Amino acid sequence: NAGVTQTPKFQVLKTGQSMTLQCAQDMNHNSMYWYRQDPGMGLRLIYYSASEGTTDKGEVPNGYNVSRLNKREFSLRLESAAPSQTSVYFCASSLGGNREQYFGPGTRLTVT
Amino acid sequence: GENVEQHPSTLSVQEGDSAVIKCTYSDSASNYFPWYKQELGKRPQLIIDIRSNVGEKKDQRIAVTLNKTAKHFSLHITETQPEDSAVYFCAASDTGRRALTFGSGTRLQVQP
């Protein structure tokens, strides 16, 4: 089992460009999550999908959109990147909201 | 939604000493409290968790205690070793969002 995988590992964007971060899990988990991690700020929830076919806003959703493509895949889209979106992005999955979350390796995004 | 506060933000101990990290939460309905360890450049990984029907849980050198009345929980690491050096995050289940809310993290440095 690969667990949770994310692509790309690194990305540099110019302000205003768009991109999609991909996430996939092979653990048959119901719930998937996108976090951003900034120094001193911990892990902040951007969007989550409690089950296939549903998505909900987290703590910091502005500037992002998500798609739960199927049970395995959950993508995060930046429509018009801003320097404030420079961060490390982690995808995670779990069986449910109060169960262990398994994290992907992260994507380091720089917006210039 | 849930709010989790974590202290201290940094902690330095001598090898062999104990380390204690404390968290408080706001939602009395929260019932799941995990702790994650994140080594430099790596993904967060679960090290121990506790549910609200239990007051204490141990796993070798690590233990977690939960005080539901006071709404706080703590991570205890005994006989610290250099490989315990990492950032530790506490989290609490957010029953409204069916997700986890993370604390801001504690950077633990174990001096050999």
Side-chain angles (χ1 to χ4, degrees), chain B residues 12-29:
Chain B
S12 183
V13 300
Q14 290 295 125
E15 184 177 356
D17 287 350
S18 295
V20 180
I21 303 170
K22 299 182 179 181
C23 289
T24 60
Y25 62 98
S26 62
D27 183 358
S28 56

Side-chain angles (χ1 to χ4, degrees), chain B residues 9-15 19 80-82 84-88 106-112:
Chain B
S9 56
T10 60
L11 180 59
S12 183
V13 300
Q14 290 295 125
E15 184 177 356
T80 53
Q81 301 167 3
D84 294 329
S85 296
V87 178
Y88 291 81
T106 296
R107 182 173 300 278
L108 173 65
Q109 184 83 26
V110 180
Q111 308 286 349

